[in-house]
Amino acid sequence: MIEPAGKEDVEQVMPLLHEAIGNIACSLAGVEDEAEAMRVLAHFYIEEGNRVSYRNVIVDKRDGVVAGIVVCYAGDEAEQLDKPLIERVKQVTGLAEYSITSETRPGEFYLDSIAVDASFRNQGIAKALMAAFEREAVRRGYHLVSLIVEEYNGQARLLYEKRGYKEDGEMIVSGHRYTRMVKTVSDH
């Protein structure tokens, strides 16, 4: 069943988030060790007002088990949602300047991350989560949705193209090349 995530889902959500974002976790947390990065992000998950907060996560649960997740938020809020993460990195590293690459633009509703647990794949969960993400965009008054896909991830790109997403340039995030993709959505 697709529903908003709760704080209590942290232990099931974090491995899926890690699978989705990989080394970007280190950039968000400001540490080099991915396990440490995920511990830091788990703390942020149970808080509000940041990009990985449970408030920005939709889950697909099967018999109480999180089968898949989608992390999404308004592009208009991206800068504000990254502030707590940036402030933490500055505090623990002593860096005066630190930034997180914005992957979205104002006026877009952004699909930050999507992942399905390996034991639940090939059951249409990714498609259902994509549809839930697009419905949430419309519910919040957005008609343009966006995402990025790593250049080597042909399977994900194919899923997005089948759902009507079109290429909208390229960008580098945490040293990796991504293709931006966008789609217009409506409440029909």
Side-chain angles (χ1 to χ4, degrees), residues 125-146:
I125 293 171
K127 289 177 190 166
L129 287 167
M130 293 285 300
F133 155 71
E134 292 171 8
R135 282 192 306 274
E136 182 66 11
V138 170
R139 188 185 74 75
R140 294 200 200 179
Y142 288 87
H143 297 287
L144 186 64
V145 293
S146 66

Side-chain angles (χ1 to χ4, degrees), residues 19-166:
E19 185 178 323
I21 68 174
N23 69 330
I24 292 175
C26 293
S27 298
L28 293 177
V31 297
E32 292 186 22
D33 180 68
E34 285 188 27
E36 175 63 18
M38 293 314 296
R39 283 191 289 277
V40 169
L41 295 183
H43 168 77
F44 279 104
Y45 173 86
I46 61 173
E47 301 295 324
E48 296 186 20
N50 70 82
R51 78 156 67 184
V52 298
S53 168
Y54 72 97
R55 293 278 192 187
N56 298 325
V57 180
I58 300 168
V59 296
D60 186 327
K61 283 188 178 176
R62 308 286 169 107
D63 296 321
V65 175
V66 175
I69 65 164
V70 63
V71 179
C72 54
Y73 48 84
D76 304 341
E77 299 169 4
E79 187 177 327
Q80 193 67 32
L81 292 172
D82 284 343
K83 273 186 180 173
L85 295 157
I86 291 168
E87 291 307 314
R88 183 207 173 271
V89 170
K90 287 180 178 179
Q91 189 175 42
V92 300
T93 63
L95 292 171
E97 292 296 318
Y98 188 80
S99 64
I100 295 173
T101 302
S102 182
E103 302 156 10
T104 183
R105 300 176 183 152
E108 298 175 346
F109 196 71
Y110 183 64
L111 188 155
D112 182 280
S113 312
I114 186 169
V116 175
D117 183 275
S119 61
F120 290 95
R121 293 199 180 131
N122 300 314
Q123 297 180 32
I125 293 171
K127 289 177 190 166
L129 287 167
M130 293 285 300
F133 155 71
E134 292 171 8
R135 282 192 306 274
E136 182 66 11
V138 170
R139 188 185 74 75
R140 294 200 200 179
Y142 288 87
H143 297 287
L144 186 64
V145 293
S146 66
L147 55 84
I148 63 173
V149 60
E150 211 160 0
E151 64 181 343
Y152 69 80
N153 195 343
Q155 187 176 0
R157 184 180 175 124
L158 188 59
L159 169 69
Y160 304 143
E161 288 173 347
K162 283 182 179 178
R163 290 200 56 85
Y165 286 78
K166 305 286 184 215

